[in-house]
Amino acid sequence: MKIRLIFFVLVVLFVAGCEKVDVPKVIASANEAFESKDYKTFNTQIELLKKGDKKEYENYLSTVKNKDLFKVEKQTDLKKVESSISDLTLITEQVPKLSDEAKSKIASLKENRKYFDEVDSIVSEINQVHLKESQSAASDSNYSVFLMKNYDVTSKVVKALKKLSDDANKKIIALESLKTPDFLSEKHKGFIESLKVYKTKLDAKATYIDSKAAEIVFSNDPSSFSILALSTINDIHSDLERLTSEVRTAISDVKQRGDSF
């Protein structure tokens, strides 16, 4: 009889203890504290929830771990990765119950940071060098065919195009060697393919000028002026305009894809 009484009292006390915790209110307070990074209050609230309803406590922690902050695939650029690493580092230091989860995500994010650092560097070089070169009418690679008076000039243009092509190839190799986050796999492949197309267009223009060098120089020689020479240089000019347009279209696609990172 005495044992039954003691058991009954314990049950009553347990139930009474549970009833003292307003679960929705505690969760709302914990959410507010978490979003404002008031982790001292957050810790207090989740401990209160644990005492009041252990199942709700476990469910709540699972919900918190499912927030975007803990989703590596949601950190889709370098700025977001850096911010997430900073926030998660603070959590490892101030929220013991989420520390292991945060450390795990930080390790993955640091790998992704290496990827974004490398891609950002490549995109920056493309915008600063390749895009400017393709857009400038005064650049060596866009030299007007009517000004190619000798082989030194045609060689200079071909050399400028090959230099751009070689640099594009180096960037392709660098990108192919990177460890790519799974959620960026398709975007990464598309970026590489756009660079390959761009390189192909550069090579096509360089090859064309190289193969037409004799005709270009001859047709631009005043002493060789004729209706045929004029027709030839105009045809070559038309072909180069088309090839230049294809190069510009290709590098614009590269820029668009690169900037999307």
Side-chain angles (χ1 to χ4, degrees):
M1 184 67 180
K2 189 176 181 181
I3 294 175
R4 282 185 180 181
L5 180 61
I6 293 172
F7 178 75
F8 177 76
V9 170
L10 289 174
V11 169
V12 170
L13 288 174
F14 176 77
V15 171
C18 290
E19 289 175 347
K20 289 180 182 178
V21 176
D22 185 337
V23 171
K25 185 177 180 179
V26 171
I27 288 177
S29 179
N31 282 334
E32 185 179 342
F34 186 85
E35 295 303 326
S36 63
K37 300 178 186 178
D38 178 5
Y39 295 129
K40 183 177 180 180
T41 298
F42 177 77
N43 288 333
T44 300
Q45 293 304 307
I46 61 173
E47 283 302 316
L48 184 61
L49 183 61
K50 184 179 180 180
K51 291 176 182 178
D53 192 322
K54 192 170 183 180
K55 186 176 180 181
E56 283 290 349
Y57 161 79
E58 291 172 351
N59 288 339
Y60 178 67
L61 281 188
S62 295
T63 300
V64 173
K65 291 175 183 178
N66 201 41
K67 287 179 178 289
D68 283 355
L69 176 60
F70 291 90
K71 293 179 179 178
V72 175
E73 68 276 11
K74 292 290 185 178
Q75 319 316 320
T76 54
D77 58 44
L78 186 59
K79 186 177 179 180
K80 288 181 180 178
V81 168
E82 293 285 9
S83 176
S84 186
I85 288 175
S86 177
D87 289 344
L88 289 171
T89 299
L90 193 61
I91 287 173
T92 65
E93 296 168 351
Q94 298 186 17
V95 188
K97 298 299 182 182
L98 296 174
S99 181
D100 288 344
E101 185 75 12
K103 286 177 182 177
S104 171
K105 302 304 180 183
I106 288 171
S108 297
L109 286 168
K110 284 183 176 179
E111 283 296 319
N112 289 0
R113 181 169 60 186
K114 294 177 185 177
Y115 171 82
F116 282 117
D117 276 338
E118 191 66 30
V119 171
D120 271 20
S121 176
I122 289 172
V123 171
S124 177
E125 289 175 14
I126 287 170
N127 290 339
Q128 291 174 13
V129 178
H130 292 261
L131 199 65
K132 287 183 179 179
E133 182 81 8
S134 71
Q135 291 176 338
S136 173
S139 66
D140 287 347
S141 65
N142 285 327
Y143 215 72
S144 171
V145 69
F146 297 114
L147 299 177
M148 298 181 193
K149 304 291 186 181
N150 55 58
Y151 289 109
D152 287 342
V153 178
T154 57
S155 294
K156 180 173 73 173
V157 177
V158 170
K159 183 178 179 181
L161 288 163
K162 286 185 175 179
K163 182 179 179 181
L164 290 172
S165 177
D166 288 344
D167 189 61
N169 192 55
K170 288 178 183 176
K171 287 173 172 42
I172 290 167
I173 292 171
L175 287 167
E176 289 178 335
S177 69
L178 290 178
K179 182 179 179 182
T180 310
D182 291 340
F183 65 95
L184 288 173
S185 178
E186 290 305 313
K187 182 185 282 192
H188 183 79
K189 288 176 183 176
F191 186 38
I192 291 174
E193 287 307 311
S194 71
L195 268 171
K196 288 180 177 178
V197 170
Y198 169 59
K199 181 186 182 307
T200 299
K201 298 303 181 182
L202 289 169
D203 292 340
K205 185 176 178 180
T207 300
Y208 181 83
I209 294 173
D210 199 31
S211 68
K212 296 288 185 178
E215 293 178 62
I216 292 170
V217 173
F218 176 80
S219 299
N220 276 327
D221 187 346
S223 65
S224 304
F225 178 79
S226 67
I227 297 299
L228 178 60
L230 183 60
S231 176
T232 298
I233 200 67
N234 281 333
D235 287 345
I236 292 173
H237 171 70
S238 178
D239 287 341
L240 281 179
E241 284 289 291
R242 173 180 56 79
L243 290 167
T244 298
S245 177
E246 289 177 0
V247 168
R248 286 174 175 168
T249 298
I251 191 59
S252 293
D253 184 46
V254 171
K255 172 182 166 50
Q256 184 177 6
R257 291 175 183 274
D259 288 347
S260 71
F261 284 94

